[in-house]
Amino acid sequence: MQITVLAGGVGGARFLLGLRAHARSLPEHPHLTAIVNTGDDAWLAGLRITPDLDSIMYALAGVNDTGRGWGRVGETERVSAELNAWGVGWPWFTLGDLDLGAHIARTSWLREGLPLTEAVRRLTARWELGVELLPATDDEFETHVLVDSDVIEGGELHFQEWWVRFRATVEARGFVQQGTATAAPGVADAIATADLVLLAPSNPVVSIGSILAVPGVHEALATTSAPIVGVSPIINGAVVRGMADACLRAIGVETDAAAVALHYGARAAGGLLDGWLVDESDTAALPALESAGIRARALPLFLRDETLGAAVAAAAIELAQS
Ligand code: GDP
Ligand code: CA
């Protein structure tokens, strides 16, 4: 069995930990592939950084900082302090020393001419992750945020600057991808040959939305024979952590589990979803989802630990097979 997941960083990582735990409990381990958002990627201090791929890699490898919620455990910031003294990089964007190791390795492979997919394969080969990670694209296809030009000169900024520096407090008017891209090798295939496609409870706009913006991904989803089931990142009208509500507001979607599902759309009506899992606090949304043509179930979606995550993964598989 092949299960392919579309995922952003932290929400994606939490879900994949649960899915991996569930997969390992099955008699025939399904093969897991995650197609990961690269819209957050950037060049910084001469290095290519890929935050969502790294969040997932570190979490699956068990070397992530669970207290802080991002980066490597046991991290130090000596190099970052030196870079700041020289005015190199973004002073508001921490590059931890261990993290810089990954950035240097990645950048050196990219400089040798290897595609990002191969750099990711080499980085992840260090651990037994149990999930194959594929960048959505090998091309630089960075997410920019459109804002009012009287607030930010030029009316546009890199997603990282909007998110990390301004904590999404500058009102966003929309999101665009810079440049042109094609889906990375293996991405369309991982969707076409899947027995099940899952949307992780990731940011619907700048994580899942940025993956869907890569030419070829939407088409592959529209034509796969696999059922597509999503997990709501919105619980009881609020984001679980982060500022995805600021992204949803910018594209005119309510911060609501059903509204996000309807934004993705029912497959029967030309959208993406066959099924959608909502939190038990959103049970009232079930009839509207069902009448829109999306099979829906309610269960606890706060991914507190791997056991809960595994139950969510099991429910997604069960909904797809029902
Ligand atoms: P990012 O790239 O690090 O911002 O992470 P993602 O895009 O993968 O995920 C961000 C989303 O994950 C946010 O909108 C959160 O609401 C959602 N999220 C985080 N933790 C949980 C959780 O425990 N349960 C659910 N259902 N959603 C979560
Ligand atoms: Ca992200």
Side-chain angles (χ1 to χ4, degrees):
M1 186 187 198
Q2 167 67 41
I3 301 179
T4 300
V5 183
L6 271 53
V10 171
R14 293 180 151 247
F15 178 69
L16 287 168
L17 284 170
L19 177 62
R20 181 180 68 179
H22 177 64
R24 283 177 172 163
S25 76
L26 296 174
E28 276 183 50
H29 296 356
H31 183 264
L32 308 179
T33 303
I35 298 170
V36 182
N37 174 41
T38 52
D40 298 10
D41 296 6
W43 283 100
L44 191 57
L47 300 171
R48 190 70 181 157
I49 60 161
T50 61
D52 287 359
L53 281 159
D54 290 356
S55 292
I56 292 178
M57 175 171 76
Y58 295 151
L60 291 173
V63 298
N64 58 316
D65 187 330
T66 50
R68 200 168 49 160
W70 54 275
R72 293 277 300 256
V73 68
E75 188 60 288
T76 50
E77 286 161 19
R78 297 189 67 195
V79 177
S80 215
E82 290 297 290
L83 292 172
N84 284 341
W86 282 309
V88 170
W90 291 327
W92 39 265
F93 195 96
T94 310
L95 294 168
D97 297 334
L98 296 173
D99 206 18
L100 275 163
H103 303 330
I104 293 169
R106 173 187 310 109
T107 306
S108 83
W109 289 320
L110 293 176
R111 290 246 183 265
E112 284 170 24
L114 296 174
L116 180 60
T117 301
E118 177 60 16
V120 169
R121 199 193 61 72
R122 292 185 180 192
L123 285 170
T124 54
R126 181 169 167 188
W127 299 281
E128 194 66 59
L129 297 188
V131 182
E132 186 186 354
L133 304 189
L134 293 178
T137 177
D138 282 336
D139 299 312
E140 292 176 17
F141 200 48
E142 299 173 8
T143 305
H144 277 219
V145 186
L146 305 178
V147 297
D148 288 341
S149 52
D150 53 347
V151 182
I152 302 285
E153 207 184 303
E156 191 173 323
L157 67 176
H158 192 285
F159 169 73
Q160 292 295 357
E161 188 172 12
W162 180 72
W163 189 257
V164 180
R165 183 180 184 187
F166 294 111
R167 309 293 303 161
T169 53
V170 178
E171 177 109 16
R173 300 293 176 200
F175 301 88
V176 289
Q177 307 305 127
Q178 291 288 298
T180 54
T182 51
V187 165
D189 239 37
I191 295 170
T193 62
D195 298 294
L196 169 60
V197 175
L198 298 173
L199 306 188
S202 289
N203 188 311
V205 187
V206 295
S207 290
I208 304 295
S210 305
I211 299 173
L212 296 175
V214 174
V217 172
H218 214 288
E219 295 76 354
L221 290 168
T223 51
T224 184
S225 57
I228 303 177
V229 173
V231 181
S232 178
I234 305 300
I235 295 180
N236 197 20
V239 295
V240 179
R241 51 181 74 74
M243 302 154 296
D245 44 342
C247 304
L248 288 166
R249 203 179 313 122
I251 63 159
V253 175
E254 212 185 316
T255 301
D256 171 80
V260 171
L262 297 174
H263 163 68
Y264 289 134
R267 216 151 175 223
L272 287 181
L273 294 177
D274 294 294
W276 187 243
L277 295 179
V278 302
D279 186 68
E280 55 188 348
S281 62
D282 290 310
T283 305
L286 296 180
L289 290 166
E290 294 279 349
S291 66
I294 300 170
R295 309 203 85 179
R297 297 275 185 286
L299 76 165
L301 284 194
F302 188 77
L303 305 172
R304 201 171 283 110
D305 55 41
E306 251 176 66
T307 312
L308 259 154
V312 172
I317 295 171
E318 199 185 294
L319 184 62
Q321 289 169 345
S322 73

